[in-house]
Amino acid sequence: MPQKITPEERLLSLTVALMANRYGLTKEQILSSVSGYREARAEGRSADALEKMFERDKDALRELGMPVHTLGDAADPDDLREARYVIPKAEYVLPEDIVFTPAEVAILGIAAAVWGESSMSGEAQSALRKIRALGIDVDEPIIGFAPRLSAKDHAFPALRAAHDAHRVVRFTYVKPGDDVPRVRTVEPHALIDYDGRWHLYGFDRDLAQERTFLLSRIVGDVEQLRDRFDPAAAAGAGERARRGLDEVARRNSALVRVQEDSEAALRLRRRGSREDDLVRIPFVDVHVLADELASYGPEVTVVSPDDLRAQVVERLQRTLAAHGVTA
């Protein structure tokens, strides 16, 4: 009876095999020789089941940050019937001239812990894996805690993958005031977290200009197209996006009164400046801020601007109506 190989052992064997051959291995070579697949074939698993197992494992390695490359026919790169798979050593290990102290490794580990795995880019996961591969014992005392940052917007993983692969995306976007959603075709140049919300900054091919999109307004699935964009176009995109949002926030501010010892007071005073018993809050999007302020209920009163006050009141009235209460 063939030896039972665990999925973890199979993934390790696959990693070693793909690193060992600089020219890569075909799918047939992998299924017939790599530990885990070889035993499964000996048990009588069908070719279709083995191929599905390999595809799942390949995706799992990439999600872990492993740089699994697919090399197709030079004459027809999209023909993957005789494709070879490889993990380039240069992308797996750190250069020999890069050295970290135990304290630096500890700090990098904490920084990695802050981010949820789903929100880390492929490059970040790869870098973290290389650092862990150094095998340095962390013996420096680190005092504090590591909060976790994660991307809850459903569009984030697909946009991050497209950004990493320099692929153009298409998605349906809803702007406040639009009667129907609009389809956008965008080069995803940067994903940034601004004021606690994720934004996509990129080149809108339909409008032929750079635009910023709030991820929470993307509806449905994000489609990754075959078209690629020049990575050079994304250079400095994150900084440009942040500068643009900062400029919008400088032009817009809300003056609110908050209830003492409330959640609203705790959160809003950290983001704004005190003016006597009021708080002035810079904002980028009046609709997003109205949603937030309305969620605090009676803990917040909007003093200005008038359009923000009207939107908060309208949201509160809708909430009352939904519960059968008239204002």
Side-chain angles (χ1 to χ4, degrees):
M1 180 178 180
Q3 180 184 1
K4 182 68 174 178
I5 305 296
T6 66
E8 292 79 10
E9 292 176 295
R10 188 177 68 243
L11 286 175
L12 178 59
S13 297
L14 178 59
T15 301
V16 172
L18 295 182
M19 287 181 61
N21 193 312
R22 61 182 297 187
Y23 300 108
L25 298 173
T26 65
K27 187 180 297 184
E28 174 57 30
Q29 289 173 321
I30 292 168
L31 299 182
S32 63
S33 61
V34 174
S35 178
Y37 304 102
R38 183 179 62 244
E39 289 77 6
R41 173 175 280 186
E43 290 176 356
R45 297 276 190 95
S46 68
D48 184 58
L50 287 172
E51 289 196 8
K52 288 181 178 179
M53 180 190 296
F54 170 66
E55 292 300 323
R56 288 195 300 269
D57 288 349
K58 180 158 56 72
D59 291 341
L61 288 181
R62 285 172 173 161
E63 289 174 3
L64 289 170
M66 301 290 187
V68 181
H69 289 202
T70 303
L71 309 177
D73 189 323
D76 186 2
D78 292 324
D79 184 359
L80 301 180
R81 289 174 295 180
E82 295 299 322
R84 307 180 77 86
Y85 302 90
V86 63
I87 297 178
K89 288 185 179 180
E91 297 184 24
Y92 186 85
V93 297
L94 287 170
E96 294 181 357
D97 58 348
I98 294 181
V99 178
F100 293 104
T101 67
E104 290 170 335
V105 173
I107 292 171
L108 289 168
I110 289 177
V114 170
W115 289 87
E117 288 296 324
S118 64
S119 59
M120 290 181 70
S121 69
E123 287 87 348
Q125 292 186 46
S126 178
L128 177 59
R129 170 178 40 73
K130 293 177 181 181
I131 290 167
R132 287 171 174 166
L134 293 173
I136 298 176
D137 292 329
V138 178
D139 54 9
E140 295 291 330
I142 300 295
I143 300 174
F145 67 95
R148 296 208 37 106
L149 299 178
S150 59
K152 296 181 180 179
D153 297 291
H154 76 280
F156 185 94
L159 290 172
R160 185 200 65 194
H163 169 270
D164 292 349
H166 308 119
R167 293 273 191 181
V168 178
V169 295
R170 180 178 294 132
F171 53 79
T172 304
Y173 192 73
V174 180
K175 289 179 59 179
D178 284 353
D179 295 328
V180 295
R182 298 183 182 182
V183 176
R184 298 295 193 196
T185 304
V186 180
E187 299 176 7
H189 291 173
L191 285 161
I192 67 167
D193 178 22
Y194 189 90
D195 201 18
R197 296 172 181 85
W198 282 97
H199 299 73
L200 168 68
Y201 182 79
F203 184 78
D204 188 322
R205 289 192 169 184
D206 301 310
L207 300 178
Q209 60 183 250
E210 291 185 316
R211 299 293 295 268
T212 302
F213 302 89
L214 190 63
L215 263 62
S216 61
R217 290 185 179 146
I218 295 176
V219 297
D221 295 331
V222 174
E223 179 186 1
Q224 188 175 137
L225 306 182
R226 294 173 62 89
D227 291 354
R228 293 181 181 271
F229 62 88
D230 184 356
E239 291 79 3
R240 293 197 301 277
R242 193 166 297 278
R243 285 197 301 269
L245 292 171
D246 284 341
E247 179 58 32
V248 173
R250 278 193 291 270
R251 296 196 304 264
N252 298 285
S253 67
L255 196 60
V256 302
R257 180 175 287 107
V258 295
Q259 189 179 99
E260 290 295 331
D261 302 320
S262 65
E263 180 183 1
L266 176 65
R267 293 179 179 274
L268 297 178
R269 283 174 178 167
R270 288 186 301 183
R271 285 163 42 194
S273 57
R274 300 278 299 262
E275 295 186 9
D276 298 325
D277 62 335
L278 304 176
V279 182
R280 184 168 296 279
I281 308 166
F283 66 89
V284 171
D285 189 306
V286 67
H287 303 278
V288 171
L289 183 60
D291 288 340
E292 179 187 1
L293 297 181
S295 72
Y296 295 122
E299 296 179 0
V300 171
T301 301
V302 179
V303 178
S304 66
D306 291 340
D307 62 335
L308 174 63
R309 179 183 176 85
Q311 290 200 38
V312 171
V313 170
E314 188 269 338
R315 284 161 172 77
L316 293 174
Q317 289 175 337
R318 282 208 315 261
T319 302
L320 289 173
H323 289 81
V325 179
T326 56

